Amino acid sequence: QVQLVESGGGLVQAGGSLRLSCAASGLTFSSYVMGWFRQAPGKEREFVAAIIGRTPGTYYADSVKGRFTISRDNAKNTLYLQMNSLKPEDTAVYFCAASRSFGWGPRDYDYWGQGTQVTVSS
């Protein structure tokens, strides 16, 4: 049974930083593309960032490029998202997700975590 468990969300002031983690189990972690998505109230779930399994390769939404960094530790089966220079518009529930191959949309991902709330105050 695949489980993805996010942690690290919270309340932060604009300009601050947070680091999200996603602990994975029940899958061969290094074989999967791992992604972060977010969903704000009343909005669709949107792509934030993704990282390829074994070979170097990262993808970012334009809205977070230069501020967020996705990384993974295959030995620990853990995915990370370092978020710097946070803005109020980054407020959302953040989800990690796993896929056999890279895709930009939520439908491209097979497994999902329960989400962690990030709130950025102005």
Side-chain angles (χ1 to χ4, degrees), residues 1 10 13 17 21 23 26-27 34-35 38 40 43-44 48-49 76 78 82 86 90-91 93 102 104 106 119 121:
Q1 181 182 358
Q13 288 189 330
S17 298
S21 299
L27 75 171
M34 298 299 298
R38 66 187 182 187
K43 295 189 176 181
E44 293 186 352
V48 174
K76 295 182 178 180
T78 303
Q82 178 67 44
L86 282 160
D90 294 318
T91 296
V93 177
F102 173 72
W104 293 100
T119 303
S121 63

PDB file of all heavy atoms in Angstrom, residues 1 10 13 17 21 23 26-27 34-35 38 40 43-44 48-49 76 78 82 86 90-91 93 102 104 106 119 121:
ATOM      1  N   GLN A   1       0.837  -1.189   0.000  1.00  0.00           N
ATOM      2  CA  GLN A   1       0.000   0.000   0.000  1.00  0.00           C
ATOM      3  C   GLN A   1       0.881   1.251   0.000  1.00  0.00           C
ATOM      4  O   GLN A   1       1.717   1.435   0.868  1.00  0.00           O
ATOM      5  CB  GLN A   1      -0.888   0.011   1.236  1.00  0.00           C
ATOM      6  CG  GLN A   1      -1.809   1.203   1.323  1.00  0.00           C
ATOM      7  CD  GLN A   1      -2.638   1.205   2.602  1.00  0.00           C
ATOM      8  OE1 GLN A   1      -2.537   0.279   3.404  1.00  0.00           O
ATOM      9  NE2 GLN A   1      -3.429   2.235   2.778  1.00  0.00           N
ATOM     10  N   GLY A  10       2.492  25.328   7.768  1.00  0.00           N
ATOM     11  CA  GLY A  10       2.250  26.201   8.910  1.00  0.00           C
ATOM     12  C   GLY A  10       1.937  27.607   8.480  1.00  0.00           C
ATOM     13  O   GLY A  10       1.660  27.871   7.298  1.00  0.00           O
ATOM     14  N   GLN A  13       4.959  34.627   7.871  1.00  0.00           N
ATOM     15  CA  GLN A  13       4.757  35.965   7.317  1.00  0.00           C
ATOM     16  C   GLN A  13       5.317  36.048   5.914  1.00  0.00           C
ATOM     17  O   GLN A  13       6.220  35.299   5.538  1.00  0.00           O
ATOM     18  CB  GLN A  13       5.437  37.004   8.207  1.00  0.00           C
ATOM     19  CG  GLN A  13       4.745  37.234   9.532  1.00  0.00           C
ATOM     20  CD  GLN A  13       5.331  38.412  10.286  1.00  0.00           C
ATOM     21  OE1 GLN A  13       6.515  38.723  10.158  1.00  0.00           O
ATOM     22  NE2 GLN A  13       4.502  39.067  11.094  1.00  0.00           N
ATOM     23  N   SER A  17      10.140  31.714   5.075  1.00  0.00           N
ATOM     24  CA  SER A  17      10.464  30.436   4.438  1.00  0.00           C
ATOM     25  C   SER A  17       9.817  29.282   5.193  1.00  0.00           C
ATOM     26  O   SER A  17       9.570  29.371   6.403  1.00  0.00           O
ATOM     27  CB  SER A  17      11.979  30.214   4.422  1.00  0.00           C
ATOM     28  OG  SER A  17      12.645  31.208   3.677  1.00  0.00           O
ATOM     29  N   SER A  21       8.111  18.451   3.715  1.00  0.00           N
ATOM     30  CA  SER A  21       8.647  17.114   3.506  1.00  0.00           C
ATOM     31  C   SER A  21       7.516  16.174   3.134  1.00  0.00           C
ATOM     32  O   SER A  21       6.359  16.396   3.518  1.00  0.00           O
ATOM     33  CB  SER A  21       9.343  16.592   4.764  1.00  0.00           C
ATOM     34  OG  SER A  21      10.425  17.393   5.135  1.00  0.00           O
ATOM     35  N   ALA A  23       7.134  11.975   3.188  1.00  0.00           N
ATOM     36  CA  ALA A  23       7.692  10.650   3.433  1.00  0.00           C
ATOM     37  C   ALA A  23       6.896   9.617   2.646  1.00  0.00           C
ATOM     38  O   ALA A  23       5.668   9.545   2.777  1.00  0.00           O
ATOM     39  CB  ALA A  23       7.657  10.329   4.907  1.00  0.00           C
ATOM     40  N   GLY A  26       5.846   2.067   0.482  1.00  0.00           N
ATOM     41  CA  GLY A  26       5.030   1.175  -0.325  1.00  0.00           C
ATOM     42  C   GLY A  26       5.282   1.258  -1.818  1.00  0.00           C
ATOM     43  O   GLY A  26       4.528   0.679  -2.610  1.00  0.00           O
ATOM     44  N   LEU A  27       6.322   1.979  -2.221  1.00  0.00           N
ATOM     45  CA  LEU A  27       6.680   2.066  -3.641  1.00  0.00           C
ATOM     46  C   LEU A  27       8.196   2.158  -3.766  1.00  0.00           C
ATOM     47  O   LEU A  27       8.878   2.497  -2.796  1.00  0.00           O
ATOM     48  CB  LEU A  27       6.018   3.284  -4.301  1.00  0.00           C
ATOM     49  CG  LEU A  27       6.566   4.697  -4.039  1.00  0.00           C
ATOM     50  CD1 LEU A  27       5.882   5.690  -4.990  1.00  0.00           C
ATOM     51  CD2 LEU A  27       6.404   5.107  -2.631  1.00  0.00           C
ATOM     52  N   MET A  34       8.375  12.553  -8.630  1.00  0.00           N
ATOM     53  CA  MET A  34       7.653  13.084  -7.471  1.00  0.00           C
ATOM     54  C   MET A  34       7.323  14.548  -7.715  1.00  0.00           C
ATOM     55  O   MET A  34       8.155  15.306  -8.233  1.00  0.00           O
ATOM     56  CB  MET A  34       8.491  12.946  -6.209  1.00  0.00           C
ATOM     57  CG  MET A  34       8.819  11.513  -5.829  1.00  0.00           C
ATOM     58  SD  MET A  34       7.350  10.516  -5.482  1.00  0.00           S
ATOM     59  CE  MET A  34       6.659  11.386  -4.065  1.00  0.00           C
ATOM     60  N   GLY A  35       6.126  14.913  -7.351  1.00  0.00           N
ATOM     61  CA  GLY A  35       5.704  16.285  -7.605  1.00  0.00           C
ATOM     62  C   GLY A  35       5.041  16.916  -6.395  1.00  0.00           C
ATOM     63  O   GLY A  35       4.596  16.221  -5.468  1.00  0.00           O
ATOM     64  N   ARG A  38      -0.542  22.306  -5.367  1.00  0.00           N
ATOM     65  CA  ARG A  38      -1.208  23.078  -4.325  1.00  0.00           C
ATOM     66  C   ARG A  38      -2.622  23.425  -4.767  1.00  0.00           C
ATOM     67  O   ARG A  38      -2.906  23.496  -5.959  1.00  0.00           O
ATOM     68  CB  ARG A  38      -0.426  24.338  -3.975  1.00  0.00           C
ATOM     69  CG  ARG A  38      -0.342  25.361  -5.077  1.00  0.00           C
ATOM     70  CD  ARG A  38       0.599  26.494  -4.678  1.00  0.00           C
ATOM     71  NE  ARG A  38       0.679  27.533  -5.697  1.00  0.00           N
ATOM     72  CZ  ARG A  38       1.526  28.554  -5.639  1.00  0.00           C
ATOM     73  NH1 ARG A  38       2.360  28.680  -4.611  1.00  0.00           N
ATOM     74  NH2 ARG A  38       1.528  29.457  -6.595  1.00  0.00           N
ATOM     75  N   ALA A  40      -5.679  26.174  -3.552  1.00  0.00           N
ATOM     76  CA  ALA A  40      -6.238  27.237  -2.729  1.00  0.00           C
ATOM     77  C   ALA A  40      -7.757  27.117  -2.718  1.00  0.00           C
ATOM     78  O   ALA A  40      -8.340  26.527  -3.638  1.00  0.00           O
ATOM     79  CB  ALA A  40      -5.812  28.594  -3.271  1.00  0.00           C
ATOM     80  N   LYS A  43     -10.191  27.157  -5.896  1.00  0.00           N
ATOM     81  CA  LYS A  43      -9.368  27.055  -7.105  1.00  0.00           C
ATOM     82  C   LYS A  43      -9.033  25.603  -7.402  1.00  0.00           C
ATOM     83  O   LYS A  43      -9.130  24.738  -6.538  1.00  0.00           O
ATOM     84  CB  LYS A  43      -8.090  27.880  -6.938  1.00  0.00           C
ATOM     85  CG  LYS A  43      -8.327  29.364  -6.824  1.00  0.00           C
ATOM     86  CD  LYS A  43      -7.014  30.128  -6.879  1.00  0.00           C
ATOM     87  CE  LYS A  43      -7.249  31.629  -6.869  1.00  0.00           C
ATOM     88  NZ  LYS A  43      -5.963  32.392  -6.946  1.00  0.00           N
ATOM     89  N   GLU A  44      -8.619  25.372  -8.635  1.00  0.00           N
ATOM     90  CA  GLU A  44      -8.219  24.030  -9.038  1.00  0.00           C
ATOM     91  C   GLU A  44      -6.823  23.712  -8.482  1.00  0.00           C
ATOM     92  O   GLU A  44      -6.020  24.609  -8.215  1.00  0.00           O
ATOM     93  CB  GLU A  44      -8.221  23.912 -10.556  1.00  0.00           C
ATOM     94  CG  GLU A  44      -9.615  24.014 -11.169  1.00  0.00           C
ATOM     95  CD  GLU A  44      -9.593  23.744 -12.664  1.00  0.00           C
ATOM     96  OE1 GLU A  44      -8.491  23.623 -13.235  1.00  0.00           O
ATOM     97  OE2 GLU A  44     -10.687  23.661 -13.259  1.00  0.00           O
ATOM     98  N   VAL A  48       3.150  22.707  -8.921  1.00  0.00           N
ATOM     99  CA  VAL A  48       4.152  23.578  -8.312  1.00  0.00           C
ATOM    100  C   VAL A  48       5.551  23.200  -8.795  1.00  0.00           C
ATOM    101  O   VAL A  48       6.285  24.034  -9.315  1.00  0.00           O
ATOM    102  CB  VAL A  48       4.094  23.490  -6.774  1.00  0.00           C
ATOM    103  CG1 VAL A  48       5.227  24.291  -6.145  1.00  0.00           C
ATOM    104  CG2 VAL A  48       2.738  23.966  -6.257  1.00  0.00           C
ATOM    105  N   ALA A  49       5.918  21.930  -8.631  1.00  0.00           N
ATOM    106  CA  ALA A  49       7.257  21.485  -8.994  1.00  0.00           C
ATOM    107  C   ALA A  49       7.269  19.973  -9.088  1.00  0.00           C
ATOM    108  O   ALA A  49       6.419  19.293  -8.499  1.00  0.00           O
ATOM    109  CB  ALA A  49       8.285  21.958  -7.976  1.00  0.00           C
ATOM    110  N   LYS A  76      16.317   7.986   1.811  1.00  0.00           N
ATOM    111  CA  LYS A  76      15.353   8.170   2.894  1.00  0.00           C
ATOM    112  C   LYS A  76      13.907   8.129   2.408  1.00  0.00           C
ATOM    113  O   LYS A  76      12.983   8.330   3.192  1.00  0.00           O
ATOM    114  CB  LYS A  76      15.609   9.501   3.599  1.00  0.00           C
ATOM    115  CG  LYS A  76      16.944   9.573   4.323  1.00  0.00           C
ATOM    116  CD  LYS A  76      17.103  10.906   5.042  1.00  0.00           C
ATOM    117  CE  LYS A  76      18.414  10.970   5.800  1.00  0.00           C
ATOM    118  NZ  LYS A  76      18.595  12.265   6.505  1.00  0.00           N
ATOM    119  N   THR A  78      12.270  10.268   0.765  1.00  0.00           N
ATOM    120  CA  THR A  78      11.667  11.536   1.174  1.00  0.00           C
ATOM    121  C   THR A  78      11.832  12.602   0.104  1.00  0.00           C
ATOM    122  O   THR A  78      12.890  12.722  -0.510  1.00  0.00           O
ATOM    123  CB  THR A  78      12.278  12.022   2.498  1.00  0.00           C
ATOM    124  OG1 THR A  78      12.111  11.012   3.489  1.00  0.00           O
ATOM    125  CG2 THR A  78      11.593  13.296   2.975  1.00  0.00           C
ATOM    126  N   GLN A  82      11.630  23.311  -0.533  1.00  0.00           N
ATOM    127  CA  GLN A  82      12.100  24.491   0.180  1.00  0.00           C
ATOM    128  C   GLN A  82      11.428  25.708  -0.441  1.00  0.00           C
ATOM    129  O   GLN A  82      11.578  25.947  -1.638  1.00  0.00           O
ATOM    130  CB  GLN A  82      13.616  24.616   0.088  1.00  0.00           C
ATOM    131  CG  GLN A  82      14.175  25.854   0.757  1.00  0.00           C
ATOM    132  CD  GLN A  82      13.999  25.829   2.267  1.00  0.00           C
ATOM    133  OE1 GLN A  82      14.243  24.805   2.907  1.00  0.00           O
ATOM    134  NE2 GLN A  82      13.592  26.956   2.841  1.00  0.00           N
ATOM    135  N   LEU A  86       8.206  33.732   0.544  1.00  0.00           N
ATOM    136  CA  LEU A  86       6.798  33.372   0.412  1.00  0.00           C
ATOM    137  C   LEU A  86       5.907  34.599   0.303  1.00  0.00           C
ATOM    138  O   LEU A  86       6.181  35.646   0.903  1.00  0.00           O
ATOM    139  CB  LEU A  86       6.368  32.504   1.602  1.00  0.00           C
ATOM    140  CG  LEU A  86       6.824  31.050   1.507  1.00  0.00           C
ATOM    141  CD1 LEU A  86       6.809  30.380   2.867  1.00  0.00           C
ATOM    142  CD2 LEU A  86       5.958  30.291   0.523  1.00  0.00           C
ATOM    143  N   ASP A  90       0.800  32.362  -2.147  1.00  0.00           N
ATOM    144  CA  ASP A  90       1.261  30.972  -2.018  1.00  0.00           C
ATOM    145  C   ASP A  90       0.407  30.188  -1.023  1.00  0.00           C
ATOM    146  O   ASP A  90       0.591  28.979  -0.875  1.00  0.00           O
ATOM    147  CB  ASP A  90       2.725  30.939  -1.552  1.00  0.00           C
ATOM    148  CG  ASP A  90       3.680  31.505  -2.576  1.00  0.00           C
ATOM    149  OD1 ASP A  90       3.509  31.216  -3.780  1.00  0.00           O
ATOM    150  OD2 ASP A  90       4.602  32.239  -2.177  1.00  0.00           O
ATOM    151  N   THR A  91      -0.501  30.858  -0.343  1.00  0.00           N
ATOM    152  CA  THR A  91      -1.370  30.191   0.621  1.00  0.00           C
ATOM    153  C   THR A  91      -2.220  29.132  -0.064  1.00  0.00           C
ATOM    154  O   THR A  91      -2.916  29.412  -1.043  1.00  0.00           O
ATOM    155  CB  THR A  91      -2.284  31.212   1.323  1.00  0.00           C
ATOM    156  OG1 THR A  91      -1.476  32.109   2.091  1.00  0.00           O
ATOM    157  CG2 THR A  91      -3.280  30.523   2.229  1.00  0.00           C
ATOM    158  N   VAL A  93      -3.296  24.473   0.331  1.00  0.00           N
ATOM    159  CA  VAL A  93      -2.932  23.142   0.810  1.00  0.00           C
ATOM    160  C   VAL A  93      -1.956  22.556  -0.208  1.00  0.00           C
ATOM    161  O   VAL A  93      -2.242  22.564  -1.419  1.00  0.00           O
ATOM    162  CB  VAL A  93      -4.161  22.225   0.962  1.00  0.00           C
ATOM    163  CG1 VAL A  93      -3.731  20.823   1.396  1.00  0.00           C
ATOM    164  CG2 VAL A  93      -5.146  22.819   1.959  1.00  0.00           C
ATOM    165  N   PHE A 102       6.771  11.856 -16.000  1.00  0.00           N
ATOM    166  CA  PHE A 102       6.500  13.263 -15.721  1.00  0.00           C
ATOM    167  C   PHE A 102       5.245  13.755 -16.433  1.00  0.00           C
ATOM    168  O   PHE A 102       4.970  13.419 -17.575  1.00  0.00           O
ATOM    169  CB  PHE A 102       7.682  14.135 -16.149  1.00  0.00           C
ATOM    170  CG  PHE A 102       7.377  15.600 -16.034  1.00  0.00           C
ATOM    171  CD1 PHE A 102       7.288  16.199 -14.794  1.00  0.00           C
ATOM    172  CD2 PHE A 102       7.117  16.359 -17.162  1.00  0.00           C
ATOM    173  CE1 PHE A 102       6.963  17.540 -14.667  1.00  0.00           C
ATOM    174  CE2 PHE A 102       6.795  17.699 -17.054  1.00  0.00           C
ATOM    175  CZ  PHE A 102       6.728  18.291 -15.802  1.00  0.00           C
ATOM    176  N   TRP A 104       2.423  17.507 -16.211  1.00  0.00           N
ATOM    177  CA  TRP A 104       2.156  18.813 -15.616  1.00  0.00           C
ATOM    178  C   TRP A 104       0.836  18.841 -14.848  1.00  0.00           C
ATOM    179  O   TRP A 104       0.609  19.759 -14.058  1.00  0.00           O
ATOM    180  CB  TRP A 104       2.108  19.893 -16.706  1.00  0.00           C
ATOM    181  CG  TRP A 104       3.416  20.147 -17.378  1.00  0.00           C
ATOM    182  CD1 TRP A 104       3.821  19.670 -18.593  1.00  0.00           C
ATOM    183  CD2 TRP A 104       4.497  20.951 -16.892  1.00  0.00           C
ATOM    184  NE1 TRP A 104       5.085  20.122 -18.881  1.00  0.00           N
ATOM    185  CE2 TRP A 104       5.523  20.918 -17.867  1.00  0.00           C
ATOM    186  CE3 TRP A 104       4.703  21.708 -15.731  1.00  0.00           C
ATOM    187  CZ2 TRP A 104       6.737  21.600 -17.726  1.00  0.00           C
ATOM    188  CZ3 TRP A 104       5.914  22.393 -15.585  1.00  0.00           C
ATOM    189  CH2 TRP A 104       6.900  22.330 -16.575  1.00  0.00           C
ATOM    190  N   PRO A 106      -2.560  17.205 -12.556  1.00  0.00           N
ATOM    191  CA  PRO A 106      -2.870  16.260 -11.480  1.00  0.00           C
ATOM    192  C   PRO A 106      -3.241  14.867 -11.992  1.00  0.00           C
ATOM    193  O   PRO A 106      -2.948  13.866 -11.332  1.00  0.00           O
ATOM    194  CB  PRO A 106      -4.063  16.912 -10.770  1.00  0.00           C
ATOM    195  CG  PRO A 106      -3.955  18.358 -11.081  1.00  0.00           C
ATOM    196  CD  PRO A 106      -3.355  18.436 -12.458  1.00  0.00           C
ATOM    197  N   THR A 119       0.005  28.756   5.086  1.00  0.00           N
ATOM    198  CA  THR A 119      -0.668  30.048   5.141  1.00  0.00           C
ATOM    199  C   THR A 119       0.377  31.138   5.261  1.00  0.00           C
ATOM    200  O   THR A 119       1.203  31.110   6.176  1.00  0.00           O
ATOM    201  CB  THR A 119      -1.647  30.123   6.319  1.00  0.00           C
ATOM    202  OG1 THR A 119      -2.592  29.057   6.228  1.00  0.00           O
ATOM    203  CG2 THR A 119      -2.387  31.454   6.312  1.00  0.00           C
ATOM    204  N   SER A 121       0.859  35.128   5.694  1.00  0.00           N
ATOM    205  CA  SER A 121       0.170  36.365   6.075  1.00  0.00           C
ATOM    206  C   SER A 121       0.905  37.570   5.520  1.00  0.00           C
ATOM    207  O   SER A 121       2.130  37.564   5.398  1.00  0.00           O
ATOM    208  CB  SER A 121       0.069  36.461   7.591  1.00  0.00           C
ATOM    209  OG  SER A 121       1.356  36.535   8.158  1.00  0.00           O
TER     210      SER A 121
END
